[in-house]
Amino acid sequence: MHLEPWDPDTIDTVVDLLQPAWPDGQGHRIRPRLLAGARLHGVTEVANDDAGRPVGVVHVSLDPTYPGVVGGAVGVAPGHRGQGLGRVLATRASDLLHAGARRPDGDPARVQLVVLPEESTVAQHLAEQHGFRVSSRSVGWTADLDAQAVATHQRALDDVLRDTALSIETVTWASHRDVMSDLTDRVTQGLPRATGADDAIDPSSVGEFFFAPGTVFFIAWLDGDAVGYSGVSPSTDGTGWYVEFTGVVPAARGRGVARAFKHAQFVTAARSGGRTTVHLQRGAQRRRPRPERLVGDAPAGRVRRDGAVTDRDRDRDPDRDPDRDPDRARRGTWFHRRHGGAPTAGWARATHRRHREGMP
């Protein structure tokens, strides 16, 4: 089937086609990337049906948050799947990715990235055929919000704030742009990147390309200093809320800041009419996790198949760097299980590097 440049007037259809290729709660990032066009060295091509309606799309562009990364995505309308169109689009995406977009400084993008549904063995097989390999995985968590849950999280939040001398301020990106832009680079130091590598982040792009419209932000203050921020955003109908991001500066990790953010997210979502929350938790493991392990390479506590947690490390060495700790993702798992969370769809990030030397 012939591919041709997309018509921006069909953006709603194109977004709908690409939506399944993005994790839950992150679909809002598609539209600004499409519209950015040449700013991100973007290429968007579509396959049209006989009536001229797009039924398949391939999109490749620089990642606005990670300037050293070029990402690709494909989408096929349900009625046209299983007919070879996806393979045509995947081949075109691979060609565009390997041709290489260039970073703003003129150097070629170092890493090519695709995000794939964990359950889609077909998508992962296609990626592997084109030289990609999985570099990191994520697990989605969902939790119901009811009156009892809200009361529990409010009490827990009050306890954390009282015990840690933290304060949590609810803000907007517009009102605290400079504070959160400055924090973005600091709170991501040492954490797994989207590619599984320590690629640089462009804080100036975060507000435009990363966060959804309507995101509610929280800034944590400790002894007068901003030590972290987090964001939670509503779905279109407002019943589901998505945790966009949670980050804490290295010096304040392990002191309850992230826990306070989590409780504040639940409370805010529920009081705004939300009935569920969804959080995508990234683990940096290189292998497919066993069902009872979910994420992380080594447990902070033993997680049984029934979800119970035992032998949790309650007295961690405060001098141990949490962001380099392989148990970090496990502690997130423990939090979600404890508060009624259930794992949902998983996502795999597959990367292809221009220079194979040093590939993790």
Side-chain angles (χ1 to χ4, degrees):
M1 183 175 286
H2 176 67
L3 298 180
E4 58 187 58
W6 78 304
D7 180 354
D9 289 341
T10 65
I11 188 168
D12 290 340
T13 301
V14 171
V15 169
D16 288 342
L17 289 172
L18 289 174
Q19 189 87 34
W22 289 71
D24 289 344
Q26 297 184 10
H28 61 271
R29 298 175 189 169
I30 302 172
R31 190 176 297 266
R33 294 190 187 204
L34 291 171
L35 295 175
R39 287 176 55 199
L40 298 179
H41 297 258
V43 176
T44 305
E45 297 178 350
V46 298
N48 294 321
D49 62 12
D50 294 338
R53 294 183 298 264
V55 295
V57 60
V58 54
H59 172 74
V60 170
S61 71
L62 284 174
D63 188 305
T65 308
Y66 298 94
V69 176
V70 56
V74 301
V76 179
H80 293 262
R81 294 171 186 167
Q83 302 175 32
L85 178 55
R87 187 174 298 276
V88 171
L89 294 169
T91 299
R92 178 57 174 159
S94 178
D95 291 343
L96 290 169
L97 287 165
H98 295 324
R102 293 191 171 271
R103 307 188 317 178
D105 60 11
D107 290 337
R110 186 170 63 89
V111 181
Q112 294 90 45
L113 169 71
V114 292
V115 181
L116 310 165
E118 186 74 79
E119 71 275 10
S120 178
T121 56
V122 173
Q124 294 192 38
H125 179 66
L126 278 174
E128 290 168 357
Q129 285 185 321
H130 290 283
F132 289 80
R133 74 174 193 178
V134 172
S135 59
S136 65
R137 299 182 187 274
S138 297
V139 173
W141 288 90
T142 183
D144 293 332
L145 299 174
D146 54 30
Q148 182 177 354
V150 174
T152 299
H153 284 288
Q154 184 63 66
R155 286 195 300 271
L157 175 60
D158 293 340
D159 290 344
V160 173
L161 297 181
R162 183 187 63 247
D163 295 342
T164 61
L166 282 169
S167 63
I168 302 292
E169 183 181 9
T170 303
V171 302
T172 65
W173 185 268
S175 67
H176 287 69
R177 181 191 309 272
D178 292 343
V179 174
M180 288 187 283
S181 293
D182 174 66
L183 279 171
T184 296
D185 188 56
R186 295 166 56 203
V187 301
T188 54
Q189 291 176 10
L191 299 183
R193 303 303 199 193
T195 61
D198 289 333
D199 294 298
I201 287 180
D202 177 8
S204 66
S205 72
V206 172
E208 179 181 359
F209 290 100
F210 192 85
F211 294 111
T215 297
V216 177
F217 293 95
F218 310 97
I219 296 179
W221 300 87
L222 184 63
D223 298 328
D225 295 325
V227 295
Y229 80 94
S230 181
V232 60
S233 65
S235 60
T236 303
D237 63 6
T239 60
W241 281 66
Y242 300 95
V243 176
E244 295 266 11
F245 175 77
T246 298
V248 181
V249 299
R253 292 173 187 164
R255 300 176 66 177
V257 181
R259 186 154 34 99
F261 280 145
K262 297 297 182 190
H263 292 304
Q265 292 160 2
F266 277 67
V267 171
T268 297
R271 289 182 174 170
S272 300
R275 295 199 293 268
T276 61
T277 61
V278 175
H279 174 245
L280 196 66
Q281 178 181 337
R282 180 152 60 241
Q285 77 278 10
R286 300 286 187 259
R287 64 182 183 276
R288 182 181 298 276
R290 298 200 306 268
E292 72 274 21
R293 302 261 322 236
L294 296 176
V295 291
D297 289 328
R302 303 291 181 181
V303 181
R304 300 198 302 261
R305 287 183 182 273
D306 61 3
V309 181
T310 61
D311 302 324
R312 189 168 65 90
D313 184 6
R314 297 178 183 275
D315 300 312
R316 290 179 54 257
D317 180 355
D319 295 325
R320 207 163 96 201
D321 188 0
D323 58 281
R324 294 295 184 189
D325 180 3
D327 295 349
R328 179 177 175 273
R330 176 60 48 162
R331 291 193 296 277
T333 299
W334 174 86
F335 180 94
H336 290 291
R337 283 194 181 279
R338 181 182 182 187
H339 293 286
T344 59
W347 295 84
R349 290 167 179 80
T351 57
H352 189 295
R353 295 178 183 275
R354 287 182 169 277
H355 304 292
R356 288 286 179 175
E357 305 85 59
M359 179 184 284

PDB file of all heavy atoms in Angstrom, residues 41 148 156 345:
ATOM      1  N   HIS A  41      12.225  17.366  13.732  1.00  0.00           N
ATOM      2  CA  HIS A  41      12.639  16.582  12.564  1.00  0.00           C
ATOM      3  C   HIS A  41      11.662  15.437  12.344  1.00  0.00           C
ATOM      4  O   HIS A  41      12.058  14.308  12.016  1.00  0.00           O
ATOM      5  CB  HIS A  41      14.070  16.043  12.743  1.00  0.00           C
ATOM      6  CG  HIS A  41      15.113  17.118  12.849  1.00  0.00           C
ATOM      7  ND1 HIS A  41      15.941  17.471  11.809  1.00  0.00           N
ATOM      8  CD2 HIS A  41      15.451  17.930  13.879  1.00  0.00           C
ATOM      9  CE1 HIS A  41      16.751  18.440  12.183  1.00  0.00           C
ATOM     10  NE2 HIS A  41      16.474  18.740  13.440  1.00  0.00           N
ATOM     11  N   GLN A 148     -13.465   5.400  51.600  1.00  0.00           N
ATOM     12  CA  GLN A 148     -12.553   4.817  52.578  1.00  0.00           C
ATOM     13  C   GLN A 148     -11.099   4.991  52.148  1.00  0.00           C
ATOM     14  O   GLN A 148     -10.226   5.318  52.965  1.00  0.00           O
ATOM     15  CB  GLN A 148     -12.862   3.336  52.757  1.00  0.00           C
ATOM     16  CG  GLN A 148     -11.976   2.656  53.797  1.00  0.00           C
ATOM     17  CD  GLN A 148     -12.356   1.196  54.005  1.00  0.00           C
ATOM     18  OE1 GLN A 148     -13.344   0.720  53.465  1.00  0.00           O
ATOM     19  NE2 GLN A 148     -11.564   0.499  54.800  1.00  0.00           N
ATOM     20  N   ALA A 156      -2.677   9.112  55.969  1.00  0.00           N
ATOM     21  CA  ALA A 156      -1.277   8.759  55.718  1.00  0.00           C
ATOM     22  C   ALA A 156      -0.480   9.985  55.302  1.00  0.00           C
ATOM     23  O   ALA A 156       0.676  10.164  55.720  1.00  0.00           O
ATOM     24  CB  ALA A 156      -1.205   7.681  54.644  1.00  0.00           C
ATOM     25  N   ALA A 345      -1.799  -3.460  32.111  1.00  0.00           N
ATOM     26  CA  ALA A 345      -0.969  -3.722  30.941  1.00  0.00           C
ATOM     27  C   ALA A 345       0.476  -3.307  31.171  1.00  0.00           C
ATOM     28  O   ALA A 345       0.762  -2.299  31.830  1.00  0.00           O
ATOM     29  CB  ALA A 345      -1.533  -2.978  29.735  1.00  0.00           C
TER      30      ALA A 345
END
